[in-house]
């Protein structure tokens, strides 16, 4: 399962970067698009902080400049991938206590959190693709099956 999570996190990073690079290249400044792109990267950071038991002082819906979003995606993805190199299969079943953004105490298996990261990014990249269609002629493919063919 570690290999599976490594692949999905790498896919998430690479797919995010494709979309974020398009936003930068086309110099798109629409706040809704920037906020949604930022949200993807900020949520990954928040989950990283939760797993590391760090206090959360981030607004998950901030609209960051696209350069900051790209850097945050790079840094957080690097943290997650290095982390996977340090843990065992058994660690995937460990419970991670955390507080929701509303302050509610929750607990989830690490493997569930890792799967959520991939699903969350995919969900919001789909929203971004729809919004970007009115700004650019072509959206790069971020389909997982195509990604596995390309690597």
């Amino acid at each position: 399962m570690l290999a599976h999570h490594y692949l999905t996190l790498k896919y998430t990073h690479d797919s995010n970067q494709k979309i974020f690079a398009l936003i930068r290249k086309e110099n798109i400044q629409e706040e809704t698009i920037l906020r949604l792109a930022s949200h993807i990267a900020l949520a990954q950071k928040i989950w990283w902080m939760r797993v590391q038991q760090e206090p959360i002082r981030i607004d998950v819906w901030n609209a960051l400049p696209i350069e900051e979003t790209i850097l945050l995606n790079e840094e957080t993805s690097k943290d997650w991938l290095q982390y996977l190199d340090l843990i065992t299969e058994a660690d995937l079943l460990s419970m991670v206590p955390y507080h929701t953004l509303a302050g509610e105490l929750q607990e989830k298996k690490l493997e569930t959190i890792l799967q959520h990261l991939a699903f969350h990014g995919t969900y919001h990249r789909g929203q971004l693709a729809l919004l970007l269609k009115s700004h650019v002629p072509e959206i790069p493919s971020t389909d997982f099956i195509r990604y596995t063919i390309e690597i």
Side-chain angles (χ1 to χ4, degrees), residues 61-102:
W61 285 108
N62 267 349
L64 303 174
I66 195 61
E67 288 300 328
E68 282 185 46
T69 299
I70 289 169
L71 285 173
L72 184 60
N73 186 59
E74 284 292 332
E75 292 168 4
T76 306
S77 295
K78 181 181 173 187
D79 289 339
W80 276 112
L81 293 171
Q82 287 176 344
Y83 178 70
L84 288 182
D85 286 337
L86 300 174
I87 65 172
T88 66
E89 292 283 337
D91 292 327
L92 293 173
L93 301 177
S94 64
M95 298 301 287
V96 177
Y98 66 94
H99 286 89
T100 66
L101 296 178

Side-chain angles (χ1 to χ4, degrees), residues 29-55:
Q29 297 299 316
E30 184 179 317
E31 185 176 350
T32 304
I33 290 173
L34 294 176
R35 184 178 309 281
L36 195 52
S38 300
H39 174 73
I40 294 169
L42 288 165
Q44 289 180 159
K45 178 66 172 181
I46 286 172
W47 278 108
W48 172 251
M49 295 171 77
R50 286 173 172 159
V51 168
Q52 298 303 309
Q53 301 296 301
E54 296 176 9

